[in-house]
Amino acid sequence: MSSRDAILGRIRRSLGASGSDAPRLAAVRHRLAETPVNVVPARGQLPSAERIDLFVRKAGEVFATVVRLGGRDDIPAAVAAYLRDRNLPQAIRRGDDRRLADLPWEREAQLAVTTGPSDGSDLVGLSHADAGVAETGTVVLTSGPDNPTTINFLPDHHIVVVDASTVAGDYETVWADLRRRFGAGVMPRTVNLVTGPSRSADIEETLLLGAHGPRSLHILVVG
Amino acid sequence: MSGGLTSLSFPKNAHAALANPPLLKAIAHIEETLVSGRRRAAEALPEFEALRDAGRDIKAHTLAHLDLYLEAFERKVVEAGGFVHWAADAADANRIILDICQKAGARRVTKGKSMITEEVGLNAYLQANGIAPVETDLGEYIIQLRGETPSHIIAPAVHVNKEQVAADFRRVHTDLDPKRNLDEPTSLLAEARGVLRERFLSADVGITGANFLVAETGSTVIVTNEGNGDLTQILPKTHIVLASIEKVVPTLEDVATIMRLLARSATGQEMSVYTTFSTGPRRAGDPDGPEAFHVVLLDNGRSAMLGSEFEDMLRCIRCGACINHCPVYRSVGGHAYGSVYPGPMGSVLTPSLQGLEKSAHLANASTLCGRCESVCPMRIPLPKMLRHWREKEFERHLTPKKARFGLAAWRFLAARPRLYGLATRLGAWGLARLAGRDGALRQVPLAGGWTRWRDLPAPEGGTFRTEWAKRGRK
């Protein structure tokens, strides 16, 4: 007997159940198809403007820095300003995502913009989030041909653009959106929920930022 | 690690821990960091108690349908282009993982933090077969350098102080300037970041555990703060996930619910920094990510816990709250338990996984004060299950002779109320006489274990039953 059959057989024996029992199968099918929502905190259930305020406040509480921009065209200048303020070279790496590619980068003549995955030599990465979650100040990033996951982890500084209209109150709203875009039960290879910069408290429980991932997380909320 | 189990020496281990001031100093931080952090986070979320109920119900539903959810999960992993392997026990899991590594031609292997790989003793097994895995979680890296095991499930190096870390780094990182300053945690972290960056970039295989397996999507989920688990899985060509069967949950909604409990209960964070869903290998056109994705599902004794008095233990999400709040753990630290999983959750789980014969003492490493159950996000009745183990220990004659004799004597008296009343009255009278005027006893026959460390206050009045009878009459 294969290990698979042995394990499933033992589980069924312990439960006193069968793998072809109709009510059990129906219960599982129902839950997987209907994906019922459990308890959702009231905290994020707010009108748009307040929800975005909560997102900004929560992201700040976990040591992300947040800047709000009036429009998408302000992004290149905001990126250049971030690099200047921290005495960083005017260079970033980003994916080919249209939401980032179509910006007026030419306005920042000093800024070198390279595209594609990071090999670890980039100081600053720029990504576009698919959503924000107000409940905890979390940004949601999905992988794809134009969105390398390495940019989210290897650079010392991670700048993330979030469209204000995509800031949800809770994770459940994000799941519903993922199902709409990718299909029920289908996920991109990697979905990263990122809440603040990398940290560790493994030495004497002292909280330190910048363990293995980015030392700083800078969020640009657009609109 | 399974070979290094020393749970039967708990009393000896505990005494050694109590005589180790640096250890006691290190674990003393737990109160102001993890315990108060959890309290603040729970108080800041009005729905926290309702979430605990929901979390318990999700796991109970899943366990009742575990076979079906595992099959659903497997189908989705395969649909996404991944492989699922089933491991009945630790030896199976190790063999499967070694085989994947060898077929991938792996020379360098990185690991994200994973208690389940500790449970199966994966590092030792791979090492014995010519592959030296590198732990990348800072705490795990530190204890790997020290040749130790984790003393806490979420803070593996909680027992180590920064001077010890500095000494270990100087000993191992010999290519760095010997005069460098390593006085502060920041410089230690920076050095580990630099050293491990090289390891991440050159790894052929990355091994992680999983906090959740999602049946709906075939995703494995890891929750971390450092980002090492992510670098472990996105850079190498092969990503292997080792997870035990009870990690499966039905849907993304169920992950969201338990996620809201996990970090709050563990560290007091509302959300850990990185929660990552991994589904299959990289897709067509993806510029990065692993080319192969393997999930190894481990049973190792869990299927036998279903339907038993220990089934509730399978709800555990490994947050460590019971450990942080346990007065015994807080007095002696994790290594004294001599098991992979320390504290209350470990004392319940270890006998199930390793057999009571190898771990009979653990159920007694508890005061049954109930703090563990009161903070458990999955509402696992830990004290009740510790009592079950004590009963089994007694039934199987694993209890030491002296204790058995004491219990038998007590049982004899307790079953004879009049004799019991007489004996306790006599005892109270005798003790009061022995104590004399100071009202405390420095030595009591048969109670040397107590009076060696403290005086025994002598009874001041009658027995409980005579007092109760008197007050009842009023």
Side-chain angles (χ1 to χ4, degrees):
Chain A
M1 201 194 317
S2 71
S3 289
R4 178 184 190 278
D5 294 343
I7 292 169
L8 291 171
R10 267 203 305 274
I11 292 172
R12 286 175 182 137
R13 263 198 309 285
S14 291
L15 291 173
S18 124
S20 54
D21 182 46
R24 293 181 81 233
L25 285 164
V28 167
R29 237 189 340 260
H30 175 264
R31 191 161 187 128
L32 293 178
E34 302 299 320
T35 62
V37 168
N38 307 302
V39 178
V40 178
R43 180 196 280 177
Q45 314 306 309
L46 297 167
S48 168
E50 292 162 48
R51 195 167 64 231
I52 296 163
D53 286 346
L54 176 65
F55 170 77
V56 171
R57 196 173 75 241
K58 282 291 168 188
E61 283 176 14
V62 290
F63 314 108
T65 48
V66 187
V67 170
R68 299 192 61 170
L69 304 176
R72 308 178 52 73
D73 289 353
D74 300 334
I75 293 170
V79 169
Y82 175 84
L83 301 177
R84 253 193 323 275
D85 289 350
R86 282 160 186 76
N87 283 325
L88 292 163
Q90 288 283 321
I92 58 160
R93 176 169 290 273
R94 62 167 174 81
D96 293 323
D97 193 307
R98 297 295 296 236
R99 296 168 295 183
L100 297 175
D102 290 351
L103 299 174
W105 293 108
E106 69 283 354
R107 288 187 200 166
E108 298 301 322
Q110 305 294 312
L111 183 63
V113 181
T114 47
T115 61
S118 178
D119 63 3
S121 58
D122 310 293
L123 272 180
V124 185
L126 174 69
S127 307
H128 202 298
D130 286 4
V133 184
E135 186 181 340
T136 45
T138 300
V139 294
V140 182
L141 301 138
T142 56
S143 67
D146 302 326
N147 288 291
T149 302
T150 39
I151 289 184
N152 306 345
F153 292 96
L154 283 171
D156 277 13
H157 299 260
H158 191 204
I159 306 176
V160 177
V161 178
V162 181
D163 194 323
S165 67
T166 65
V167 173
D170 48 65
Y171 313 113
E172 283 80 351
T173 306
V174 176
W175 305 156
D177 186 52
L178 284 175
R179 289 188 189 109
R180 214 165 24 245
R181 286 170 49 215
F182 296 95
V186 180
M187 293 276 270
R189 152 61 204 177
T190 306
V191 178
N192 295 124
L193 272 55
V194 179
T195 311
S198 159
R199 59 153 100 179
S200 176
D202 273 347
I203 300 175
E204 297 193 351
E205 287 162 77
T206 310
L207 178 64
L208 302 172
L209 298 183
H212 291 296
R215 297 170 203 266
S216 55
L217 176 69
H218 187 61
I219 302 175
L220 306 175
V221 179
V222 179
Chain B
M1 176 60 211
S2 43
L5 201 71
T6 64
S7 302
L8 290 178
S9 317
F10 178 81
K12 205 176 89 203
N13 298 348
H15 276 113
L18 289 169
N20 182 349
L23 168 71
L24 301 181
K25 187 167 165 247
I27 54 179
H29 294 297
I30 290 176
E31 180 70 33
E32 82 243 26
T33 53
L34 302 175
V35 169
S36 50
R38 181 215 171 259
R39 190 174 55 242
R40 275 195 302 272
E43 284 168 0
L45 190 69
E47 294 87 355
F48 192 73
E49 295 305 313
L51 283 161
R52 289 176 69 189
D53 291 337
R56 173 198 59 204
D57 295 347
I58 289 168
K59 286 283 188 177
H61 166 83
T62 312
L63 292 172
H65 302 85
L66 186 59
D67 51 330
L68 303 178
Y69 281 119
L70 287 170
E71 287 177 327
F73 170 77
E74 179 187 40
R75 273 195 300 276
K76 296 301 290 190
V77 173
V78 173
E79 264 178 41
F83 298 92
V84 176
H85 312 261
W86 300 72
D89 54 24
D92 256 8
N94 287 333
R95 208 167 37 238
I96 291 166
I97 292 172
L98 176 66
D99 185 52
I100 299 169
C101 289
Q102 285 174 338
K103 283 186 178 145
R107 285 178 302 124
R108 293 163 182 266
V109 173
T110 45
K111 277 186 66 204
K113 178 176 155 29
S114 145
M115 285 309 297
I116 195 84
T117 62
E118 300 283 344
E119 181 184 321
V120 301
L122 179 67
N123 284 3
Y125 181 82
L126 290 181
Q127 244 149 29
N129 286 281
I131 294 171
V134 177
E135 293 288 351
T136 60
D137 170 83
L138 180 58
E140 290 281 347
Y141 179 65
I142 291 167
I143 59 167
Q144 187 178 41
L145 296 186
R146 299 172 62 79
E148 292 178 331
T149 54
S151 69
H152 190 295
I153 62 173
I154 65 158
V158 67
H159 60 283
V160 184
N161 63 43
K162 63 177 199 262
E163 289 76 20
Q164 292 171 307
V165 179
D168 291 323
F169 281 12
R170 285 189 200 286
R171 174 172 59 78
V172 179
H173 304 158
T174 46
D175 49 340
L176 298 175
D177 179 7
K179 288 189 206 123
R180 69 196 184 279
N181 185 326
L182 289 178
D183 291 346
E184 289 308 314
T186 42
S187 45
L188 295 167
L189 177 72
E191 180 162 317
R193 182 184 168 103
V195 170
L196 286 169
R197 206 31 101 81
E198 298 301 314
R199 312 283 187 167
F200 284 125
L201 291 165
S202 62
D204 307 302
V205 172
I207 301 173
T208 67
N211 293 85
F212 308 96
L213 309 170
V214 191
E216 177 199 354
T217 59
S219 309
T220 68
V221 184
I222 57 168
V223 176
T224 71
N225 277 321
E226 297 184 3
N228 64 305
D230 289 279
L231 292 173
T232 296
Q233 66 167 288
I234 56 174
L235 296 172
K237 283 194 168 159
T238 302
H239 177 200
I240 305 174
V241 179
L242 176 64
S244 50
I245 51 176
E246 83 281 14
K247 291 287 171 191
V248 71
V249 293
T251 65
L252 295 173
E253 277 71 11
D254 299 326
V255 175
T257 299
I258 301 177
M259 219 159 67
R260 290 187 177 105
L261 293 163
L262 178 56
R264 285 181 173 92
S265 300
T267 59
Q269 290 169 270
E270 297 201 321
M271 182 80 165
S272 298
V273 178
Y274 301 111
T275 300
T276 294
F277 294 70
S278 310
T279 315
R282 73 162 77 173
R283 310 285 162 81
D286 278 1
D288 52 21
E291 287 164 20
F293 177 69
H294 296 267
V295 183
V296 182
L297 295 174
L298 176 74
D299 181 347
N300 209 28
R302 288 163 176 82
S303 57
M305 293 167 71
L306 285 168
S308 79
E309 59 268 66
F310 301 107
E311 174 174 320
D312 292 344
M313 191 60 218
L314 295 174
R315 297 204 298 266
C316 178
I317 56 173
R318 307 288 191 268
C319 68
C322 62
I323 298 173
N324 300 335
H325 289 75
C326 177
V328 175
Y329 180 93
R330 294 270 300 277
S331 303
V332 299
H335 285 150
Y337 292 80
S339 52
V340 173
Y341 303 99
M345 57 78 59
S347 297
V348 172
L349 191 60
T350 306
S352 292
L353 302 181
Q354 308 275 357
L356 191 59
E357 291 71 19
K358 293 187 194 160
S359 54
H361 266 308
L362 292 180
N364 303 300
S366 165
T367 63
L368 300 183
C369 72
R371 273 184 100 189
C372 48
E373 181 174 0
S374 74
V375 296
C376 174
M378 295 288 120
R379 299 200 190 279
I380 300 171
L382 290 156
K384 187 176 91 183
M385 289 190 287
L386 288 169
R387 280 199 302 273
H388 282 319
W389 280 126
R390 289 187 186 184
E391 284 159 17
K392 286 184 189 292
E393 182 194 8
F394 189 84
E395 283 163 17
R396 293 193 206 166
H397 292 264
L398 296 167
T399 314
K401 266 203 189 123
K402 261 202 241 166
R404 289 189 77 81
F405 175 77
L407 285 167
W410 184 83
R411 182 181 160 194
F412 178 83
L413 283 174
R416 292 163 179 79
R418 281 201 190 170
L419 191 60
Y420 183 86
L422 182 69
T424 47
R425 277 200 305 278
L426 204 64
W429 176 81
L431 286 173
R433 295 265 309 207
L434 267 176
R437 242 178 269 156
D438 18 329
L441 295 134
R442 260 165 229 109
Q443 268 187 328
V444 181
L446 300 176
W450 172 282
T451 51
R452 197 170 139 209
W453 305 106
R454 50 225 181 290
D455 292 351
L456 178 73
E460 286 179 0
T463 67
F464 177 81
R465 295 207 314 169
T466 53
E467 292 295 312
W468 178 263
K470 253 193 251 169
R471 286 171 207 209
R473 240 175 270 135
K474 276 178 203 166

